[in-house]
Amino acid sequence: MIRKLLSLFLFVPCTMFATGVVQSDSLYLRFVSPGRDSIRSNSPRGNFAACTNPAAKVFINGKEAKVYGSGAFVGSVNLAVGVNPVRVVARAIGGDSLVKTFVFTRPEPPKPLMHEPAVIDVQSIEPRQNLWLGKDDILEVKFRGSPEYKAYLDIEDVESGIPMLELPASDSTTGSGTYVGRYKVKESDEAREVPVRVRLKKSFWSSEKAFSNGKVSILPKELPRVAMVTGRRPFLNAGLGEDRLGGAKLGYIQAGIRVQVVGKVGRQYKVRLSDAMVGWLAEDFAQLLPVETPQPRSLVGSISTSGNAAEDIVGVSLNQRLPYLADQIVDPPALVVDIFGATSNTNWITHHRSATGIKSVSWDQLGADHYRLTIALNNAQHWGYEVGYDQGSNLRIRIRKPPKIANPDSVLAGFTIAVDAGHGGEASGAVGATGVEEKNINLAIASHLKTLLQDRGVKVVMTRTDDTNVAMPDRTDAIISGGAQILVSIHCNAGGGSSDAEAVRGTSTYYRHLGYQPLADIMYGKMLELGLNQFGMVGSFNFSLNSPTQLPNVLVETAFLSNPDDEMKLLDDGFRRAIASKITTGLEEFVKLYSQPVEKGRE
């Protein structure tokens, strides 16, 4: 009977026990990870995150794991190659116990290829994606095969028998048998969607052959092409690298701009910005124009500056919408805007006194078609900017002026601040060992922050107020259209699958643009006042809500939900209120330091 009763509690969330729904002498086990009984893993370590009765003792393969006050426990086992059974036992004070068994299977690593028989690893052949190449481009082909052969590559209707070199084992991550070959495209070449064939020569009469999955189009007569930028919030990437946050962005651009396409890899167009610089534009953000479309070019005419109460505006005269990139400089404070395909015919720059935040505007011609505009600022802190074209082809650079403090007794009064509760809906985010989901912690902190800010006279823009998954572009639109002057995004952190959950803990803040580092720095200091460990302040962070240039923004990773100590803090609503309070004081400090002081007569 006792065994049957214990089994009923096996998958009850631990947080229910913490609130007293089930009596404290009940024994149970609930696993957050692993999520299944049988696990295949290449990792040398298997990790556990689970919870039980806080008064119980837990043993993982006989080794005791610490059970925290929330009932959470974490642990790990070393995995040998082959089958690894793991037995987790929860034992009550009275002697009753629950047992859960897992089986980890760690496969053997790939064995080195032998000289005989001659084989080619087809999955290793590069290119793996379709390519467009133009004149003087280099096609690089690589594969792994049996070592110590002569290898060749063939491009149908272009060139055959191109020698490939076997790399020394010390130069390859896969050991011996890695072959590399290159071909430089000539103006007379032409090919359309042909695979590359690679060969290992076994004898004068026979070779081992295989074809690449990626197909090559060599189009020297058609490249460069012109494409029109399309879509919602299009952007250029710096390269083809990827991680969970996507590729590193050069910057957002505007629909309607024309760009010069000089190649393609997979679904990414290679865009020539200048002789020394390229960017990558996703296929979804581009519409190819006819081959005969003229390349995007423009002279840059006169420049003017003006301003109003909220912003300064720099107008740049062009006759075509060209690609641009902008960057914040902090010492001395400035905004640098690069316009590609542009040549100076700027013979005057008009500065109106209403542009009070702008010290000076100057231009440089960095290359034949690379024009740089440098806008020196009067204010030490960047408060946001936006670059885009008007209804025609004139570029407008809007630079926010520092907001004014209206009430010295409540410095945030009159401000509009955006508060983002990360995740939501089916996007639950991290999950703690007790089963608590990040999305709910984030919303609880954000709700407390909203109340504290409203008490100080702030208009608060919330990206979500309930358990819904709001898309990042929709969050961004709501923040900008809501007139927010500062953005705080709230999250909980989590360690990776192979990290030590008890060791990795603490708080951190994140920013993308250098001009918004001061906000992240202030917020980091405030979070550390809560007694949390240091995890660091992170710059150049490619998170969607760190990308907007229109306002200072910061991502606050409050604490590690994967760490049982940090998780217990985050489960405490009093601690969540304390987080909201520290964020509020951080915002007050930032505003005091960098806003315009109270107007005379209002003191």
Coordinates of all heavy atoms in Angstrom, one line a residue, residues 14 32 83 95 159 290 322-323 334 352 402-403 434 466 544 567 578 585:
C14 N 7.1 19.8 -7.7 CA 7.6 20.0 -6.4 C 7.1 21.3 -5.8 O 7.0 21.4 -4.6 CB 9.2 20.1 -6.4 SG 9.9 18.6 -7.0
V32 N 13.2 16.8 -13.9 CA 13.1 17.8 -15.0 C 14.0 17.3 -16.1 O 13.7 17.4 -17.3 CB 13.5 19.2 -14.5 CG1 13.7 20.1 -15.7 CG2 12.5 19.7 -13.5
V83 N 27.1 1.3 -22.4 CA 25.9 1.4 -21.6 C 26.2 1.7 -20.2 O 27.1 1.1 -19.6 CB 25.1 0.1 -21.7 CG1 23.9 0.2 -20.9 CG2 24.7 -0.2 -23.2
G95 N 12.6 5.5 6.4 CA 13.2 4.3 5.8 C 12.6 3.9 4.4 O 13.1 3.1 3.7
E159 N 35.8 22.3 -65.4 CA 37.2 21.9 -65.2 C 37.1 20.5 -64.6 O 36.3 20.2 -63.7 CB 37.9 22.9 -64.4 CG 39.4 22.6 -64.3 CD 40.2 23.3 -65.5 OE1 39.6 24.3 -66.0 OE2 41.3 22.9 -65.8
P290 N 15.7 42.3 -62.5 CA 16.3 41.8 -63.8 C 17.8 42.0 -63.9 O 18.4 43.0 -63.3 CB 15.5 42.6 -64.8 CG 14.2 43.0 -64.1 CD 14.6 43.2 -62.7
L322 N 20.3 53.7 -50.8 CA 21.5 52.9 -50.8 C 21.6 52.2 -49.4 O 21.0 52.7 -48.4 CB 22.7 53.7 -51.0 CG 22.8 54.5 -52.4 CD1 24.1 55.3 -52.4 CD2 22.8 53.5 -53.5
P323 N 22.3 51.1 -49.3 CA 22.5 50.5 -48.0 C 23.4 51.3 -47.1 O 24.2 52.1 -47.6 CB 23.2 49.1 -48.3 CG 23.8 49.3 -49.7 CD 22.9 50.3 -50.4
A334 N 29.8 60.1 -30.5 CA 29.4 60.4 -31.9 C 28.6 59.3 -32.5 O 28.6 58.2 -31.9 CB 30.7 60.6 -32.7
H352 N 21.5 74.1 -38.1 CA 20.5 75.0 -37.5 C 20.7 74.9 -36.0 O 21.0 73.9 -35.4 CB 19.1 74.7 -37.9 CG 18.8 74.9 -39.3 ND1 18.5 76.1 -39.8 CD2 18.8 74.0 -40.4 CE1 18.3 76.1 -41.1 NE2 18.5 74.8 -41.5
P402 N 18.7 64.0 -24.8 CA 18.5 63.5 -23.5 C 17.1 64.0 -22.9 O 16.8 65.2 -23.1 CB 19.6 64.1 -22.7 CG 20.7 64.4 -23.7 CD 19.9 64.7 -25.0
P403 N 16.3 63.1 -22.3 CA 15.0 63.6 -21.8 C 15.3 64.5 -20.6 O 16.3 64.4 -19.9 CB 14.3 62.3 -21.4 CG 15.5 61.3 -21.2 CD 16.5 61.7 -22.2
T434 N 12.8 22.2 -9.6 CA 11.5 22.0 -9.0 C 10.4 22.0 -10.0 O 9.3 21.7 -9.7 CB 11.2 23.1 -8.0 OG1 11.1 24.4 -8.7 CG2 12.2 23.3 -6.9
D466 N 0.4 38.5 -19.8 CA -0.2 37.2 -19.4 C 0.7 36.1 -20.0 O 1.8 36.4 -20.6 CB -1.6 37.0 -19.9 CG -1.8 37.3 -21.3 OD1 -0.8 37.3 -22.1 OD2 -3.0 37.6 -21.8
S544 N 17.5 39.7 -29.6 CA 16.6 40.6 -30.4 C 16.3 41.9 -29.8 O 16.3 43.0 -30.4 CB 15.3 39.8 -30.8 OG 15.5 38.7 -31.6
E567 N 17.6 29.2 -7.6 CA 16.2 28.9 -7.9 C 15.4 29.2 -6.6 O 14.3 29.7 -6.7 CB 16.1 27.4 -8.3 CG 14.6 27.0 -8.6 CD 14.5 25.5 -8.7 OE1 15.3 24.8 -8.2 OE2 13.5 25.1 -9.4
A578 N 12.3 42.3 -4.5 CA 13.6 43.0 -4.3 C 14.3 43.2 -5.6 O 15.0 44.2 -5.8 CB 14.5 42.1 -3.3
T585 N 15.7 51.3 -8.8 CA 16.8 52.2 -8.4 C 17.9 52.3 -9.4 O 18.5 53.4 -9.6 CB 17.4 51.8 -7.0 OG1 17.9 50.4 -7.2 CG2 16.3 51.8 -6.0

